[in-house]
Amino acid sequence: MSQNDYKESVEEHRQSIDVDGNGAGGKPTRVSRKQAEAARKGSRPSKKNKNNSLLTVLAVIFVMIPVSILVFKFVISPSVDDASKAPKETPSENVQIETNKDPKEPSDSGQTKDPNASASKNDSSKEDQAKEKAAKEKAAKEKAAKEKADKEKLAKDKADKEQAKKDKLAQEKAEKERLAKAKAEKEKLAKEKADKAKADKEKGKTEQVVKSNAYLQAIQGGYLHNAVAGDTIQSISIKYYGSEAYVGKIKQLNGISSDKVPPGTKVALIKP
């Protein structure tokens, strides 16, 4: 590209194009004059003008590239380096500050602290701590009382079981003693009955011997009475002795205890 062409290209872009083909001040430009001449000749614009426009665009591109590189190197790059070298600040949203404040209370950052409000918060905090301490002490006391009650209940249950066991043993012992006593009494009664029976038997033998001797003597002496229906020992005593004085002796002699005498019985009589 020649210097003249370059100047024409720059001049063409710097001047505004009028509809009538006039430049600044109403004067026609070279391009407009050439277009007018071409129109008069009835031909299209030359290829030279198109080539000049393309070259102009390329020239502008080639000029803008080094200019952009220089601007980036000397203007943008230093600011980026400074920004990268600057110390990084910790994001405020990631910072957690521990305070003794109630999370429900509004933040007072950036505001003047009120001494009365601070004292009130301290008092409230102390009251909360005192309440918490009292609640813990109450819970500890209740727990201790419950443990004590459980221990007492266990001890009472154990004592009741031991007492029930003792009562059962005592009851079993008393039952054994009662059974032993009843057995002893039964054995005693049986022994007494056996002794009495033995004594009665011996006495009966003696009476039988006596009866037999007296009875034989009465028979030998002819003192007999053949009982008939309706006879009794009383009637026999009255008949032979005139009274009932010999009833006992007649019974003893004959070994009978009843007053009635069966018919046909031989009743021995006492010799008067």
Side-chain angles (χ1 to χ4, degrees), residues 62-77:
F62 286 125
V63 170
M64 291 300 294
I65 289 173
V67 170
S68 300
I69 293 171
L70 292 174
V71 169
F72 178 78
K73 184 175 182 180
F74 293 101
V75 178
I76 299 174
S77 181

Side-chain angles (χ1 to χ4, degrees), residues 100-102 105 117-133:
N100 293 327
K101 291 174 59 180
D102 188 351
E105 295 181 358
S118 178
S120 177
K121 290 178 181 178
N122 291 332
D123 293 340
S124 177
S125 177
K126 290 180 180 180
E127 290 179 358
D128 293 339
Q129 291 177 359
K131 289 180 180 179
E132 185 177 358
K133 184 178 180 182

Side-chain angles (χ1 to χ4, degrees), residues 21-29 32-33:
N22 295 328
K27 295 179 180 182
T29 61
S32 63
R33 288 197 298 271

